[in-house]
């Protein structure tokens, strides 16, 4: 316990990674209702949308409409994915988008499925995108997907993922988020790879992006914390997946992560009860129950409390 940090940052990706994978095409007004619910929780970093091709990700085809309506000067850092210079130019129209995130995979086949180009072609494009974004005063995050396994190629060479991460950092990305895109990493593998990455990158430049396909995401986050990593991506209610990674399920649920962090006396600045309120908005927006375990338990507890209160009123 003494080796754990006193503070951690939760990077909320539900509006992007969650909604991009929901079957329902959510109207912009409902997304904005979720933005406002999340703003009330104390979260300081929210990934709002993606400036990608609407043909590839129709769920986020309203990125411009949404970005235009994001509250200015909210004190919250809004992020958005950009795949290329065209995406960056769109993002730069909105001063509220203070972070842009480039993304690529550590495995060729997944990269090809996701962005229709090779890893080398992606990196060549980012050599233009990252410095341009920094010159425009935006922070740059970079995702490396399929670090713990690829849905098409299976095992991925960790050294290849590491070389990509180091190159993205060299190009000017301040944080590299390591993606377990298909939720296949187990705690031992997370610990080993964190150690490997930390040999060449500072802990502050790394984040973990864990999907919970096999129920290991929370244990994996704990291993990351123990290794020294303090930023974790998560999505409200556990919404999410990757449309170009068959079988990938939701991200680590934000409430589950925050419950664990607070239980370890690690400050997040987040109010868990308000996060549950936001989770209820997310359920309405998604139009389905969400897999987050803490949210499911809290909903049941609130139902029992309401029934008791009604019974007391009737007595
Ligand atoms: P392409 O078809 O190879 O490229 O797509 P293109 O340059 O020929 O463009 C095709 C069309 O898209 C053209 O329009 C372009 O103008 C347009 P058309 O002439 O056919 O009408 N276009 C754009 N439109 C709007 N904004 C843009 C843009 N760029 C081109 N920025 C491309 C290449 C990269 C655009 C496409 O493959 C794409 O958008 N892919 C996005 C895939 C994606 O968003 N995947 C999910 C996010 S990654 C993820 O979830 C993993 C992560 O969570 C981490 C983890 O879990 O590991 C981050
Ligand atoms: Mg993801």
């Amino acid at each position: 316990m003494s080796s754990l940090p006193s503070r951690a940052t939760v990077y909320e990706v539900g509006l992007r990674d969650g909604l991009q994978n929901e079957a329902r095409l959510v109207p912009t007004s409902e997304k904005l209702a979720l933005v406002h619910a999340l703003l009330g929780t104390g979260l300081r970093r929210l990934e709002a949308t993606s400036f990608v091709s609407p043909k590839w990700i129709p769920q986020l085809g309203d990125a411009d409409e949404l970005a235009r309506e994001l509250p200015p000067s909210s004190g919250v850092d809004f992020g958005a994915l950009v795949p290329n210079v065209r995406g960056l130019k769109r993002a730069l129209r909105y001063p509220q988008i203070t972070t842009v995130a480039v993304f690529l995979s550590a495995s060729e086949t997944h990269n090809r499925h996701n962005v229709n180009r090779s890893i080398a072609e992606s990196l060549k494009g980012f050599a233009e995108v990252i410095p341009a974004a920094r010159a425009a005063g935006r922070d740059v995050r970079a995702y490396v997907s399929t670090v713990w396994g690829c849905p098409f190629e299976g095992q991925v060479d960790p050294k290849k993922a590491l070389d990509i991460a180091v190159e993205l950092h060299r190009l000017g990305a301040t944080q590299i988020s390591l993606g377990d895109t298909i939720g296949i990493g187990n705690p031992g593998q997370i610990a080993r790879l964190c150690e490997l990455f930390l040999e060449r990158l500072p802990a502050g430049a790394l984040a973990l992006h864990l999907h919970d396909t096999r129920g290991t995401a929370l244990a994996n986050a704990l291993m990351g914390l123990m290794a020294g990593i303090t930023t974790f991506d998560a999505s409200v209610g556990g919404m999410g997946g990757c449309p170009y990674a068959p079988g990938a399920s939701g991200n680590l649920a934000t409430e589950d992560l925050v419950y664990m962090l607070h239980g370890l006396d690690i400050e997040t600045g987040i109010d868990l009860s308000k996060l549950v309120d936001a989770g209820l908005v997310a359920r309405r927006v998604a139009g389905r129950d969400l897999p987050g375990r803490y949210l499911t338990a809290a909903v049941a507890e609130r139902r029992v409390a309401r029934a008791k209160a009604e019974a007391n009123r009737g007595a």
Side-chain angles (χ1 to χ4, degrees):
M1 293 279 276
S2 60
S3 68
L4 293 177
S6 58
R7 220 187 142 74
T9 301
V10 178
Y11 193 92
E12 170 62 44
V13 296
L15 286 155
R16 194 278 302 170
D17 208 351
L19 291 181
Q20 77 181 13
N21 213 41
E22 287 299 322
R24 179 166 181 251
L25 274 183
V26 177
T28 314
S29 59
E30 292 184 31
K31 292 181 184 176
L32 285 165
L34 183 53
V35 168
H36 286 284
L38 290 166
L39 285 178
T41 63
L43 275 159
R44 283 286 158 264
R45 303 201 75 186
L46 290 184
E47 195 164 78
T49 189
S50 294
F51 292 101
V52 296
S53 162
K55 287 186 188 146
W56 283 65
I57 308 284
Q59 292 92 333
L60 304 182
D62 64 346
D64 288 274
E65 288 78 1
L66 182 89
R68 203 171 292 130
E69 296 299 324
L70 291 173
S73 324
S74 59
V76 165
D77 167 29
F78 287 112
L81 257 56
V82 298
N84 50 19
V85 171
R86 166 126 186 240
L88 175 65
K89 283 188 178 152
R90 289 175 64 199
L92 292 181
R93 287 186 207 139
Y94 310 101
Q96 301 98 311
I97 303 287
T98 41
T99 298
V100 297
V102 297
F103 57 102
L104 84 169
S105 314
S107 54
E108 287 290 351
T109 318
H110 185 263
N111 206 55
R112 185 68 68 186
H113 275 81
N114 203 30
V115 287
N116 199 25
R117 62 193 62 158
S118 68
I119 292 173
E121 286 165 335
S122 280
L123 285 171
K124 193 166 169 236
F126 298 155
E128 192 178 346
V129 171
I130 297 174
R134 293 293 301 269
R138 311 300 164 103
D139 196 8
V140 178
R141 187 170 219 248
Y143 287 100
V144 183
S145 291
T146 65
V147 171
W148 281 272
C150 168
F152 308 105
E153 294 178 20
Q155 278 189 349
V156 172
D157 179 0
K159 289 196 194 73
K160 188 164 182 195
L162 176 60
D163 285 344
I164 292 171
V166 169
E167 175 61 5
L168 291 164
H169 192 241
R170 192 190 67 77
L171 289 172
T174 56
Q175 188 164 67
I176 318 296
S177 184
L178 306 174
D180 185 8
T181 316
I182 53 169
I184 199 165
N186 62 47
Q189 293 165 329
I190 300 291
R192 280 192 287 280
L193 260 66
C194 284
E195 216 170 281
L196 180 75
F197 277 79
L198 286 164
E199 282 172 18
R200 289 178 63 193
L201 289 165
L206 290 172
L208 287 180
H209 178 99
L210 303 163
H211 284 262
D212 202 23
T213 319
R214 291 168 183 77
T216 52
L218 195 59
N220 289 347
L222 182 57
M223 298 314 280
L225 269 175
M226 289 164 69
I229 291 175
T230 55
T231 298
F232 298 89
D233 300 358
S235 85
V236 60
M239 282 199 292
C242 178
Y244 296 102
S249 73
N251 296 82
L252 170 59
T254 314
E255 313 80 44
D256 296 1
L257 173 65
V258 169
Y259 182 58
M260 177 183 82
L261 293 170
H262 290 182
L264 292 166
D265 291 329
I266 298 173
E267 265 182 59
T268 63
I270 296 167
D271 180 323
L272 191 48
S273 172
K274 289 191 177 146
L275 199 52
V276 169
D277 297 340
L280 293 175
V281 178
R283 273 169 36 134
R284 276 202 300 280
V285 163
R288 65 180 180 103
D289 283 346
L290 294 174
R293 308 299 289 268
Y294 188 92
L295 178 63
T296 307
V299 166
E301 274 169 17
R302 286 183 181 191
R303 198 174 297 132
V304 170
R306 264 198 314 275
K308 267 191 195 157
E310 272 167 32
N312 286 343
R313 268 201 300 276

